[in-house]
Amino acid sequence: MRIKVLLLFVQLFMIVPVNILAQNNDLNRQFAQELKEKCSGVKSIVCKFIQTRSASVLAQDTDKHGKYFFLQPYNVLLAFDDGDYIKITSTKFEIKQNGHINVTKVGSNPMLKSLNRMLSACISGDASQITSGFDTEITANEDEFILKLLPLRGRTGKKAVETQLVFNRKDMSLKRMKMTEATGDFLQYRFYDVNYNADLAPSLFDIK
């Protein structure tokens, strides 16, 4: 399910009423400004995460813990405590699950390319790259920006999902990412203990 949802979370669909879009315009500008201001100096990130899977075929939700690494411009590593991992670079996507490793070229899969672009944009501070290709419903409170990404007309499919991104307004770090399928199954990542601009070796993201 993890691979399926990760590849599908960039395909979303919903028609947003005009009054909601008008309200979103001001919040979109505010979100973009705060994200740019607070992320402009970020070169790398190291933090902990909890992955939660919920599926109708599972008796109960399952959690996996791990560490998240990001290095500008397009290097992502989700390293699970059990030895599994997900790596994404500008050219390749590698996943290790239950001892098996699979490698895919990002360029040959537009969804992987969009996934990498979005994750990187959350940290680089480019809001337009987060919302590109989506209708965006945005809300905010004193502590958080909450983005609901919904697929543009004509980009949906039977397996379309809805993605929610929650940002901490204190530093505009990505606090939570949740991808929910039409069936109600979801995959969620919660990020915490964020450290900025750690000295990360590029070799950490090497894919053979």
Side-chain angles (χ1 to χ4, degrees):
M1 175 185 173
R2 183 193 309 162
I3 300 176
K4 178 176 69 175
V5 177
L6 282 172
L7 296 182
L8 291 175
F9 89 91
V10 294
Q11 302 178 72
L12 313 169
F13 176 78
M14 183 174 180
I15 300 175
V16 181
V18 174
N19 62 330
I20 294 178
L21 287 176
Q23 182 181 13
N24 276 352
N25 284 337
D26 289 339
L27 280 176
N28 282 341
R29 285 191 288 269
Q30 187 177 358
F31 169 74
Q33 181 179 352
E34 291 191 27
L35 187 70
K36 183 177 180 180
E37 288 176 353
K38 295 179 181 179
C39 294
S40 61
V42 176
K43 303 302 180 184
S44 68
I45 280 183
V46 178
C47 69
K48 297 176 182 178
F49 71 86
I50 302 172
Q51 175 195 269
T52 301
R53 293 178 56 196
S54 179
S56 57
V57 297
L58 298 176
Q60 60 184 15
D61 294 354
T62 60
D63 288 342
K64 290 184 69 173
H65 295 246
K67 215 165 187 180
Y68 175 84
F69 302 86
F70 172 84
L71 180 65
Q72 291 278 24
Y74 295 109
N75 298 290
V76 172
L77 169 61
L78 292 159
F80 295 90
D81 291 347
D82 63 4
D84 289 348
Y85 61 78
I86 298 169
K87 288 184 182 182
I88 312 174
T89 70
S90 60
T91 59
K92 293 181 180 180
F93 175 96
E94 179 178 282
I95 183 166
K96 180 182 178 184
Q97 187 173 12
N98 299 325
H100 301 286
I101 297 176
N102 292 296
V103 178
T104 303
K105 290 183 179 180
V106 171
S108 64
N109 191 313
M111 287 185 292
L112 285 177
K113 189 174 182 179
S114 295
L115 170 61
N116 195 9
R117 182 200 70 209
M118 181 180 290
L119 289 174
S120 298
C122 286
I123 297 169
S124 66
D126 189 347
S128 65
Q129 291 298 307
I130 297 174
T131 60
S132 177
F134 305 102
D135 280 331
T136 306
E137 181 180 331
I138 183 169
T139 57
N141 55 46
E142 185 177 345
D143 300 315
E144 298 175 337
F145 275 109
I146 303 168
L147 279 66
K148 186 183 292 184
L149 301 178
L150 311 157
L152 292 171
R153 182 189 296 273
R155 298 195 180 190
T156 187
K158 294 181 179 179
K159 298 180 179 179
V161 302
E162 175 184 290
T163 299
Q164 183 186 76
L165 302 175
V166 179
F167 292 82
N168 184 343
R169 292 189 72 168
K170 181 179 179 180
D171 57 6
M172 292 305 289
S173 60
L174 183 61
K175 185 176 179 180
R176 184 168 69 252
M177 178 171 67
K178 183 178 182 180
M179 295 81 75
T180 305
E181 297 186 73
T183 60
D185 295 352
F186 69 81
L187 180 66
Q188 177 177 262
Y189 290 91
R190 288 168 286 167
F191 303 95
Y192 63 101
D193 286 352
V194 180
N195 293 296
Y196 294 102
N197 296 328
D199 188 13
L200 298 180
S203 59
L204 184 66
F205 307 90
D206 284 350
I207 297 177
K208 297 180 179 180

